[in-house]
Amino acid sequence: MKKTLVTGTGGLVGYAIRKLNLENFIYIIRKDADLTDFAQTKRIFEKIKPKRVIHLAAEVAGIGGNIIHSGEFFRSNIMINVNVLEVARLTGVSKLISFMSTCVFPDKCSYPLNERDIHSGPPHPSNAGYAYAKRMLEVQSRAYRKEFGCNFIVAIPTNIYGENDIWNLEEGHVIPSLIHKVFLAKKSGSDLVVWGSGKPLREFVYSRDIAKLTLWAMRKYDDELPIILTNSEEVSIKQLVDVIVEEVGFKGKVIFDRAKPDGQFRKPSDNSKLKKHLPKFSFTPLEKGIKNTVEWFMKNHPNVRM
Ligand code: GFB
């Protein structure tokens, strides 16, 4: 009975995978083991004895949280990843998938971003600590494949959103933060304050799509090079605001606070490798994903992760 261990399942992709009710999948969250601690990591792997690992655990945040916690995000993510990949190697895990994100790409490089560009320049300063730590996943997976023959693969999703995200107004990612803000502005009849100019562009992918692609990659993707998971559809923050405002039914004033950071202007990513493997895969349209996410938030607020 080949068990699959999923780490970090308190988050939005873990939540989406759990919803698929898969056989022989074991889900762990932060309270089950502190993965920054090697001994605790080893203990939980020896207890569960997985043959496959979906490694989602990470310290994550939006632009606000990344600017504040650059040092902690570097430290904790490096420790988590080195421990999980080393213990997976020591305990004979046959396949492991881990996750970077498109913020690891250089801030200045040719577009669209592709899997070979990762180390060709510094990431955007707004999340350098997190981005450099995440880049080491690719380095460690490649080095372990070379020296030990480990089948450790890496996926690079763009901005993921969906149910069970972190809804913190100051440190969350843009979509959960804005949904929460619009909900509060509508309730109190106040203006909606959006950070930055509204001009930056992002590619947003729905967590349930990433869950499906993760299971596909676990079964079928064995390359040393990472694979970018994106719909390659850029949306401006202003367009995103319009979709969320429409979905929540907010009629008030929208203000763009330019004193707040825009962050990386854009990170258009090349999904040609994904399309070569899965030519028929269709991503959930943004409007539909936002509708599901807003409905989940309305149903669960205030018992949501902050
Ligand atoms: O998701 P986000 O916080 O991070 O998006 P990144 C930031 C963009 O949304 C900036 C604008 O252009 C912000 O100006 N924005 C507007 C807001 N209003 C808000 C708001 O209320 N909250 C937030 N957070 N942003 C992330 C990385 O970068 O990319 C993550 O921080 C991860 O680690 C992710 O890698 C893929 O998209 O800039």
Side-chain angles (χ1 to χ4, degrees):
M1 176 183 71
K2 276 191 168 188
K3 283 185 269 185
T4 300
L5 170 64
V6 189
T7 72
T9 54
L12 70 167
V13 178
Y15 179 87
I17 292 175
R18 278 180 188 266
K19 286 284 174 195
L20 300 172
N21 295 318
L22 298 155
E23 214 179 322
N24 300 328
F25 270 55
I26 318 281
Y27 302 99
I28 62 170
I29 57 175
R30 202 182 295 256
K31 72 171 175 55
D32 298 314
D34 172 0
L35 299 178
T36 65
D37 177 287
F38 181 79
Q40 289 193 43
T41 308
K42 195 157 181 287
R43 207 164 26 249
I44 197 138
F45 269 69
E46 286 169 345
K47 182 177 159 207
I48 295 170
K49 296 185 178 47
K51 284 321 275 173
R52 287 185 294 260
V53 175
I54 298 175
H55 174 39
L56 298 168
E59 286 284 355
V60 300
I63 189 167
N66 266 288
I67 289 172
I68 299 166
H69 303 297
S70 195
E72 173 51 21
F73 280 14
F74 177 82
R75 183 198 71 82
S76 52
N77 286 302
I78 279 268
M79 304 276 283
I80 289 169
N81 296 335
V82 167
N83 287 340
V84 168
L85 270 63
E86 173 60 359
V87 170
R89 176 183 77 84
L90 292 173
T91 55
V93 166
S94 59
K95 183 152 187 193
L96 177 146
I97 181 170
S98 62
F99 295 80
M100 296 196 282
S101 86
T102 50
C103 79
V104 305
F105 281 103
D107 182 35
K108 307 259 181 297
C109 76
S110 58
Y111 292 143
L113 304 169
N114 79 57
E115 292 86 354
R116 296 180 189 283
D117 287 338
I118 298 168
H119 302 292
S120 58
H124 191 273
S126 63
N127 54 33
Y130 174 83
Y132 277 117
K134 278 287 190 176
R135 285 188 184 184
M136 292 307 112
L137 264 176
E138 186 278 326
V139 172
Q140 188 176 1
S141 299
R142 183 160 32 101
Y144 275 33
R145 181 182 292 271
K146 186 163 184 288
E147 179 174 356
F148 307 116
C150 296
N151 188 10
F152 292 176
I153 63 172
V154 183
I156 313 180
T158 57
N159 290 52
I160 307 172
Y161 71 96
E163 294 86 350
N164 202 44
D165 206 332
I166 297 173
W167 307 85
N168 185 298
L169 295 174
E170 291 307 315
E171 302 194 10
H173 286 105
V174 59
I175 288 182
S177 298
L178 283 180
I179 288 173
H180 192 177
K181 277 183 179 173
V182 175
F183 166 77
L184 294 173
K186 180 180 177 184
K187 204 168 147 200
S188 62
S190 53
D191 298 342
L192 168 68
V193 180
V194 177
W195 291 357
S197 66
K199 294 198 174 82
L201 300 166
R202 292 291 183 272
E203 293 169 4
F204 295 110
V205 288
Y206 187 36
S207 54
R208 293 192 205 175
D209 295 339
I210 296 298
K212 289 178 199 156
L213 291 172
T214 298
L215 299 175
W216 163 78
M218 183 52 99
R219 284 194 295 270
K220 302 279 186 191
Y221 189 77
D222 298 303
D223 285 7
E224 175 182 85
L225 256 185
I227 181 165
I228 291 173
L229 305 180
T230 180
N231 50 21
S232 289
E233 289 166 19
E234 286 191 293
V235 167
S236 75
I237 297 299
K238 164 84 176 61
Q239 288 168 316
L240 171 69
V241 168
D242 293 345
V243 172
I244 294 174
V245 160
E246 172 71 24
E247 190 50 47
V248 176
F250 175 72
K251 306 270 187 263
K253 198 167 159 215
V254 179
I255 297 167
F256 288 90
D257 176 2
R258 291 168 189 279
K260 288 283 188 181
D262 269 340
Q264 203 162 346
F265 184 67
R266 60 189 294 237
K267 25 188 180 177
S269 307
D270 178 354
N271 70 351
S272 50
K273 181 189 276 203
L274 177 63
K275 281 166 89 167
K276 182 166 70 61
H277 286 283
L278 292 174
K280 294 198 176 63
F281 186 83
S282 59
F283 283 89
T284 304
L286 181 66
E287 292 74 9
K288 172 75 179 127
I290 293 288
K291 179 175 170 40
N292 294 351
T293 307
V294 166
E295 282 169 2
W296 187 92
F297 177 77
M298 298 298 195
K299 195 163 138 243
N300 290 274
H301 184 268
N303 307 316
V304 294
R305 294 192 305 148
M306 289 293 177

